[in-house]
Amino acid sequence: TGYCRDDLLGRTIYDVLFDENERRLIEGFKDKRLQGESGNYELRLRKKSGELLYMIVGGAPVINAAGEFIGTMGVFTDITERKRIEEQMIHDAFHD
């Protein structure tokens, strides 16, 4: 994402990488994790340069041996190139 250690100290991932709309989306999925639900969703991350990265996130709750929620695990897959191609195809479909 282009950030160095000093850019990130004292800040959360939410403050650095996500805009307000993405933060609201994440909060909704966080609530689902607290209820024990897994799921996949798309997010946009903003690089230090301002460029957007598009991700598919697979999120799952982490439960300890006592059955208590202790966190969330997520796997991020970069789909930026796919989104760029989709946008180009939509543009091409509606323009000569």
Side-chain angles (χ1 to χ4, degrees):
T1 60
Y3 293 97
C4 68
R5 180 179 175 270
D6 290 338
D7 293 329
L8 304 174
L9 284 174
R11 300 173 74 192
T12 70
I13 187 173
Y14 303 104
D15 297 334
V16 177
L17 297 177
F18 303 114
D19 66 18
E20 186 61 33
N21 291 331
E22 300 302 310
R23 285 192 289 267
R24 280 196 300 271
L25 179 66
I26 291 166
E27 285 300 316
F29 286 108
K30 183 176 153 186
D31 291 342
K32 289 184 178 192
R33 298 300 161 265
L34 287 168
Q35 297 170 13
E37 295 180 33
S38 297
N40 296 313
Y41 48 97
E42 286 187 21
L43 285 177
R44 293 177 305 171
L45 309 177
R46 188 163 306 277
K47 293 172 65 170
K48 186 174 182 177
S49 67
E51 179 186 357
L52 290 175
L53 295 174
Y54 293 86
M55 301 283 170
I56 291 179
V57 180
V62 177
I63 309 296
N64 68 13
E68 301 166 327
F69 175 86
I70 59 169
T72 299
M73 177 187 68
V75 177
F76 288 66
T77 303
D78 186 346
I79 59 167
T80 304
E81 183 63 15
R82 183 183 90 186
K83 294 299 262 186
R84 187 194 64 73
I85 291 168
E86 286 174 2
E87 290 170 4
Q88 184 64 51
M89 289 175 68
I90 290 168
H91 177 270
D92 291 350
F94 293 102
H95 297 83
D96 284 335

